[in-house]
């Protein structure tokens, strides 16, 4: 007796009975899977971009905004600080590295970042694979994603737009930037940056009748990225800067932990809703199994007459519920994947962050195991009804 085949025919005979359960289950799987994947991918990206930067020093304002703009490059800077502050930090015995960055322009939405050669080392780049590193003002090295999206190559020239957004109509036509190198793929934020010497930013924003070095902009940078020599830097330096200077110091890990807390609440709420829906869907499966046993008591009794044992009857009911669970799970994974395409495209379009899409991850495996376990429990709750079927009485009443 092919129990699985009979279960499949029973399901196909009345698929509408299980439709709502399949839909509920698929929604819960999709929400849990998508929320977890999104949180995991974003956390991984944030950590990868921030691991090598201990502290950011910038203008007074929101510390989180300072981190978002200077480390993650997805917000507006809090302002500028004096360039001479860089030299003071570099001489501090607690500081291992102090790397300046300056903003002001973009090209097709990709930020033009003024810095030094050391900037690329923060992302594990020791040498340029294509071309060479920047040496002089107006030379740029572009990230792999910038090269791919803008079709710029080594030797290409372009004109930047004023501001950090693509919609700007003010262009620096009097200064042509030249691509001298392309960074290798790192899957970090540098993939979507255009890096140039600090002097380039100063030159682009110098007054037409003044030499850049005499302009106030030449004495300013947007922020300074700091690496500490030892743990004492974490304790002493931020407090000293915040209390005794006109600048602010923001610890990268501390601010990102706050960001995780803000986003984590939303993710936890979504996951809680998904778990509640999952519980409702399995309650529905339990009720459906109970109805199947009651409505098909005569059929189950006949199967016992024709030689089916009790275990086969249990399997018959279990397989029908398993079909519902598998369809709900697979549909949920499909919904999660479609949702991730939309979410990742939104993040990519609005923040230039590339996130790897995955159809199946570890959370999906654990979800599958949890669904099978819940299915077994649900089936066990209905076993008594199957075992207590009185064959002779059931057939007699049906006759």
């Amino acid at each position: 007796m092919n129990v699985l085949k009979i279960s499949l025919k029973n399901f196909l005979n009345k698929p509408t009975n299980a439709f709502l359960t399949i839909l509920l289950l698929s929604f819960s799987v999709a929400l849990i899977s998508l929320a977890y994947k999104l949180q995991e991918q974003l956390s991984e990206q944030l950590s990868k971009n921030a691991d090598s930067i201990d502290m950011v020093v910038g203008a007074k304002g929101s510390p989180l905004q300072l981190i978002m703009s200077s480390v993650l490059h997805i917000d507006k800077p809090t302002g500028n600080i004096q360039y001479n502050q860089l030299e003071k930090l570099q001489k501090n015995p607690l500081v291992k590295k102090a790397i300046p960055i300056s903003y002001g322009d973009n090209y097709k939405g990709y930020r033009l970042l003024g810095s030094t050669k050391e900037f690329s080392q923060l992302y594990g780049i020791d040498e340029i694979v294509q071309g060479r590193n920047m040496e002089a003002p107006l030379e740029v090295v572009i990230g792999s994603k910038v090269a791919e999206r803008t079709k710029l190559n080594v030797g290409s020239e372009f004109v930047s737009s004023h501001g950090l957004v693509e919609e700007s109509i003010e262009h620096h036509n009097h200064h042509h930037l030249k691509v001298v190198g392309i960074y290798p793929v790192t899957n970090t934020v540098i993939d979507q940056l255009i890096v140039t010497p600090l002097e380039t930013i100063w030159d682009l924003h110098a007054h037409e009748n003044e030499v850049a070095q005499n302009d106030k902009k030449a004495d300013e940078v947007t922020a300074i990225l700091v690496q500490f020599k030892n743990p004492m830097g974490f304790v002493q330096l931020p407090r000293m800067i915040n209390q005794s200077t006109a600048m602010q110091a923001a610890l990268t890990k501390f601010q990102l932990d706050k960001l995780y807390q803000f986003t984590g609440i939303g993710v936890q709420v979504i996951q809680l809703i998904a778990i509640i829906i999952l519980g409702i869907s399995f309650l529905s499966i339990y009720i459906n199994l109970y109805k199947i046993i009651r409505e098909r008591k005569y059929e189950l009794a006949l199967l016992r007459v024709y030689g089916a044992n009790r275990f086969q009857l249990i399997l018959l009911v279990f397989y029908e519920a398993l079909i519902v669970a598998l369809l709900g799970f697979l549909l949920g994974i499909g919904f999660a994947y479609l949702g991730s395409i939309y979410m990742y495209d939104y993040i990519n379009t609005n923040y230039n962050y590339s996130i790897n899409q995955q159809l199946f991850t570890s959370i999906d495996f654990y979800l599958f195991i949890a669904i099978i376990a819940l299915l077994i429990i649900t089936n066990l709750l209905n076993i008594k009804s199957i075992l207590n079927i009185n064959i002779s009485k059931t057939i007699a009443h049906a006759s």
Side-chain angles (χ1 to χ4, degrees):
M1 182 181 293
N2 194 327
V3 178
L4 180 58
K5 190 174 180 180
I6 296 172
S7 297
L8 184 59
K9 283 185 177 181
N10 286 336
F11 171 77
L12 293 174
N13 187 43
K14 292 184 178 179
T16 52
N17 289 349
F19 176 75
L20 182 60
T21 304
I22 292 172
L23 204 58
L24 282 172
L25 184 58
S26 66
F27 283 160
S28 64
V29 169
L31 285 172
I32 293 171
S33 178
L34 182 58
Y36 181 86
K37 286 175 185 175
L38 190 62
Q39 185 183 39
E40 188 180 53
Q41 289 284 342
L42 287 176
S43 297
E44 184 181 337
Q45 281 289 320
L46 294 178
S47 297
K48 193 184 293 184
N49 289 321
D51 277 349
S52 57
I53 302 168
D54 297 324
M55 180 181 73
V56 180
V57 178
K60 292 285 188 184
S62 165
L64 182 57
Q65 182 183 347
L66 181 60
I67 297 298
M68 296 281 281
S69 63
S70 302
V71 178
L72 305 181
H73 306 279
I74 55 175
D75 202 350
K76 294 179 181 178
T78 54
N80 289 335
I81 59 175
Q82 295 299 308
Y83 178 77
N84 59 18
Q85 297 295 332
L86 172 67
E87 297 172 348
K88 294 179 181 178
L89 277 173
Q90 287 173 333
K91 293 175 183 177
N92 192 296
L94 298 174
V95 173
K96 180 182 177 182
K97 279 184 183 179
I99 301 171
I101 60 170
S102 261
Y103 276 133
D105 282 40
N106 79 91
Y107 176 69
K108 294 186 176 180
Y110 294 99
R111 296 188 177 196
L112 182 67
L113 178 75
S115 190
T116 64
K117 292 180 183 179
E118 286 184 306
F119 179 76
S120 61
Q121 295 174 10
L122 294 173
Y123 305 95
I125 300 174
D126 295 319
E127 58 182 35
I128 308 299
V129 177
Q130 297 184 52
R132 59 174 175 82
N133 214 331
M134 55 194 186
E135 300 288 347
L138 303 182
E139 291 184 345
V140 303
V141 182
I142 61 177
S144 57
K145 183 179 176 182
V146 179
E148 178 187 344
R149 294 289 180 87
T150 63
K151 306 303 179 186
L152 292 173
N153 296 304
V154 175
S156 299
E157 293 189 3
F158 64 94
V159 174
S160 64
S161 302
H162 184 67
L164 302 179
V165 292
E166 188 177 358
E167 289 79 8
S168 175
I169 58 174
E170 185 180 342
H171 301 279
H172 295 290
N173 296 315
H174 53 290
H175 286 104
H176 286 257
L177 302 170
K178 184 177 181 179
V179 180
V180 297
I182 300 174
Y183 291 124
V185 178
T186 63
N187 293 318
T188 62
V189 73
I190 201 171
D191 291 346
Q192 48 257 2
L193 292 176
I194 302 170
V195 184
T196 186
L198 283 170
E199 291 79 9
T200 300
I201 305 298
W202 297 338
D203 286 349
L204 290 174
H205 298 92
H207 297 296
E208 292 183 2
N209 298 323
E210 295 181 16
V211 180
Q213 281 75 11
N214 293 328
D215 186 72
K216 184 181 178 182
K217 288 289 183 184
D219 296 324
E220 293 181 341
V221 293
T222 301
I224 302 170
L225 310 180
V226 179
Q227 285 183 341
F228 295 128
K229 281 184 180 178
N230 54 61
M232 287 301 296
F234 289 93
V235 178
Q236 296 183 5
L237 208 50
R239 184 183 302 171
M240 184 271 289
I241 291 171
N242 289 328
Q243 290 181 353
S244 60
T245 73
M247 304 180 296
Q248 73 166 328
L251 292 173
T252 308
K253 189 177 184 305
F254 177 75
Q255 294 301 324
L256 287 182
D257 284 344
K258 286 174 63 177
L259 181 62
Y260 291 149
Q261 289 175 8
F262 295 150
T263 58
I265 293 171
V267 171
Q268 287 170 10
V269 169
I270 292 171
Q271 289 177 337
L272 180 61
I273 293 170
I275 290 169
I276 292 170
I277 296 172
L278 184 66
I280 294 170
S281 64
F282 270 93
L283 179 61
S284 178
I285 289 175
Y286 170 77
I287 294 169
N288 280 340
L289 287 178
Y290 184 74
K291 285 176 65 179
I292 286 170
I293 295 168
R294 289 195 64 181
E295 292 172 2
R296 297 178 185 165
K297 192 175 283 189
Y298 176 70
E299 296 172 21
L300 295 174
L302 277 180
L303 287 172
R304 288 284 284 125
V305 171
Y306 287 110
N309 57 44
R310 289 176 175 177
F311 180 68
Q312 286 177 314
L313 295 187
I314 293 169
L315 282 181
L316 184 68
V317 176
F318 174 75
Y319 284 152
E320 195 163 342
L322 181 63
I323 292 167
V324 172
L326 287 177
L327 286 175
F329 174 76
L330 293 174
L331 191 61
I333 295 298
F335 284 155
Y337 186 69
L338 292 175
S340 68
I341 290 175
Y342 172 78
M343 292 295 296
Y344 295 171
D345 183 65
Y346 177 84
I347 293 169
N348 195 2
T349 302
N350 290 275
Y351 301 105
N352 288 328
Y353 262 73
S354 295
I355 300 178
N356 297 324
Q357 286 179 260
Q358 294 176 303
L359 178 60
F360 198 83
T361 62
S362 59
I363 185 61
D364 300 321
F365 173 75
Y366 293 130
L367 261 176
F368 179 74
I369 297 298
I371 286 170
I372 297 300
L374 286 170
L375 191 63
I376 291 171
I377 293 169
T378 305
N379 204 62
L380 288 173
L381 293 174
N382 281 292
I383 279 182
K384 188 177 179 181
S385 300
I386 299 172
L387 297 178
N388 289 340
I389 293 176
N390 188 314
I391 299 172
S392 57
K393 188 183 290 186
T394 302
I395 294 176
H397 279 299
S399 300

